Amino acid sequence: MSDTRTLFVPDGLEGERVDAALARLFGVSRTKAAELATAGHVHVNHSSAGKSDRVSAGDLLEVALPSPQTGPGVEVRAEPVPGMTIVHDDDDLVVVDKPVGVAAHPSVGWTGPTVVGGLAAAGFRIATSGASERQGIVSRLDVGTSGLMVVAKSEHAYSVLKQAFRSRSVDKKYHALVQGLPDPVVGTIDAPIGRHPSYDYKFAVMEKGKPSVTHYEVIEAFRAASLVDVHLETGRTHQIRVHFSALHHPLAGDLPYGADPTLARRLGLERQWLHAVGLGFEHPGTGTYVSFESPYPQDLQDALDLL
């Protein structure tokens, strides 16, 4: 089975190789993207495209992504996830530091590694609450975003943590590198977000979207970009990326949302500069407040050092 995705190539991917464009748009590895092209699953403007062909802005891209779906659900494959570390583990929950290129859980069209699969391979037993492919998952990070995630191991923890995220009592702290200097340097972005009307892989600020609130403060300003501390009040898909793009300060490296490809190349970025650095909440078992921190991964630290 496959899931065919059709979209137009964004301006930021002008001149990119087909395999590189697929990797950036869908979060698959460069190797997997090349395999899809070689197998004839990629078409540009209705013509079969090879992995090294170049795409232009506005090209119609059609990709048949293989689905790991089996029966009514989605298969959870127990596979080790290189680079994923366990930050905390107890009877109720496990906190992981997720690397880039890893999905929170299996989904249609995703054939790469997942947090759920990595935990299963490591022998962790997690809560059975939630859909079969996302059991124990109370919040998610995008494939292209690294950092802290909490997964429930007990049914009680799942219920309590789900409610905590719903009631916005979880402290979710991110660091982002945004182009330019936001004005004001401390502010709140309160703008509803919905699915983009033209691109099915993107989201946008729109009147009929869901309420979305992002608080930010500039930590350090450089010549071309600013390091920003971000706290999410809500947790919409791509929220930080969408909000800063709407301010005309897209995240460095985030080509689908308008980032400068020249700056991305100069900084060696193959994804958006965004990392979930902090996570704090009331422990569902003890009732005490717990917090966790994550250092920048090497690719983001290298980009910061170059600035």
Side-chain angles (χ1 to χ4, degrees), residues 139-222:
S139 70
R140 292 176 290 176
L141 289 179
D142 293 341
V143 170
T145 301
S146 52
L148 297 172
M149 267 185 63
V150 59
V151 180
K153 292 173 67 178
S154 69
E155 308 309 317
H156 173 72
Y158 180 89
S159 177
V160 172
L161 287 171
K162 260 296 189 186
Q163 182 55 38
F165 276 98
R166 254 195 300 275
S167 64
R168 306 178 186 178
S169 61
V170 177
D171 183 24
K172 298 173 286 186
K173 180 180 179 181
Y174 296 76
H175 281 180
L177 187 69
V178 305
Q179 293 182 187
L181 177 63
D183 182 18
V185 293
V186 179
T188 294
I189 310 168
D190 186 350
I193 292 175
R195 190 169 289 279
H196 198 287
S198 303
Y199 304 103
D200 65 356
Y201 67 97
K202 289 175 63 175
F203 292 79
V205 168
M206 54 180 53
E207 188 178 349
K208 294 183 179 179
K210 295 180 179 179
S212 308
V213 181
T214 301
H215 306 284
Y216 72 88
E217 179 176 358
V218 173
I219 301 171
E220 188 172 0
F222 303 95

Side-chain angles (χ1 to χ4, degrees), residues 283-306:
H283 193 284
T286 65
T288 57
Y289 185 81
V290 292
S291 61
F292 308 94
E293 294 183 347
S294 167
Y296 301 151
Q298 197 61 52
D299 62 331
L300 302 189
Q301 186 61 58
D302 288 346
L304 208 55
D305 291 343
L306 282 169

